[in-house]
Amino acid sequence: LSMEVVKTNLMQAYNNLGTIIGDRLGISIVPSAKITADEYVEAMKNSDYDVLFIDYDSNFKSEASENMYLEYGKIYDRLTELTQLGKLIFIAAQPKVSSWTAEVIEQDMVGESSRKIHSVDMAITGSKATEFGNSGLFKVVKNRRGKAGKTIGYIRLSNGRFKYIDRPLFN
């Protein structure tokens, strides 16, 4: 399905995918600032989910009055309890506005808090900064257990999928 069809008819797309995948896919949607990271971690500890996508960590309900830098540290400390159980966690983050036209989004261009970058095991950035429409570069800007610095070009197709392009062809 195209991205537009999925956006306008999420439940039908989810049900169709559920028919294909069976009971191996689950989704939960929680409005921003309704649950804390602690509540989320406790709920996910007892879930059957193996892979978790969090869009964005700043959407957790916060108890911090002023210091979000420390709050992010607490969030990531709690999320490690889930990785210790073997769950894989992906967390979306916005790039800083000043980087929106950069060819490559570097580690220091991840927005909101540098604490995120210090805490994560791996950070992958994706840019959309070319004159050719839906194309850009993914880059591994941090990899605690491997090599960082690898970039790969991509083009985003009309169905929402990514087609990877080697760097010489991308250039």
Side-chain angles (χ1 to χ4, degrees):
L1 298 174
S2 72
M3 195 64 142
E4 187 61 31
V5 169
V6 171
K7 285 193 301 190
T8 57
N9 202 349
L10 180 61
M11 286 314 298
Q12 182 181 352
Y14 175 75
N15 290 336
N16 290 346
L17 192 57
T19 301
I20 295 167
I21 296 177
D23 62 356
R24 297 178 307 223
L25 175 68
I27 187 170
S28 62
I29 300 171
V30 179
S32 179
K34 293 295 180 189
I35 64 170
T36 65
D38 290 342
E39 292 167 330
Y40 179 80
V41 167
E42 291 307 313
M44 292 302 108
K45 279 182 178 178
N46 300 315
S47 77
D48 293 333
Y49 296 143
D50 296 321
V51 181
L52 308 169
F53 291 87
I54 300 169
D55 183 23
Y56 305 105
D57 54 2
S58 58
N59 284 330
F60 284 120
K61 183 178 179 180
S62 175
E63 319 273 296
S65 58
E66 295 179 23
N67 194 337
M68 284 308 294
Y69 184 82
L70 292 176
E71 181 73 4
Y72 286 129
K74 290 177 188 175
I75 289 170
Y76 284 87
D77 287 346
R78 285 304 315 265
L79 291 173
T80 60
E81 294 178 37
L82 297 174
T83 59
Q84 290 170 347
L85 296 174
K87 297 179 186 284
L88 180 60
I89 302 173
F90 291 89
I91 301 171
Q94 285 283 351
K96 293 178 181 173
V97 174
S98 60
S99 69
W100 287 2
T101 58
E103 181 178 323
V104 177
I105 307 272
E106 298 293 348
Q107 180 172 316
D108 62 349
M109 297 174 176
V110 174
E112 298 171 348
S113 171
S114 61
R115 183 73 183 236
K116 294 178 184 187
I117 293 297
H118 294 299
S119 300
V120 299
D121 289 326
M122 178 181 276
I124 303 170
T125 62
S127 67
K128 183 181 174 189
T130 70
E131 60 191 273
F132 303 109
N134 291 332
S135 61
L137 291 169
F138 286 125
K139 181 174 183 179
V140 177
V141 295
K142 179 182 178 184
N143 189 353
R144 190 167 293 176
R145 293 177 179 85
K147 186 177 178 186
K150 172 78 174 160
T151 61
I152 187 164
Y154 72 84
I155 187 164
R156 188 169 184 175
L157 305 174
S158 61
N159 64 5
R161 294 179 184 243
F162 293 94
K163 175 95 175 154
Y164 300 105
I165 306 166
D166 64 19
R167 190 60 192 248
L169 179 59
F170 181 83
N171 288 342

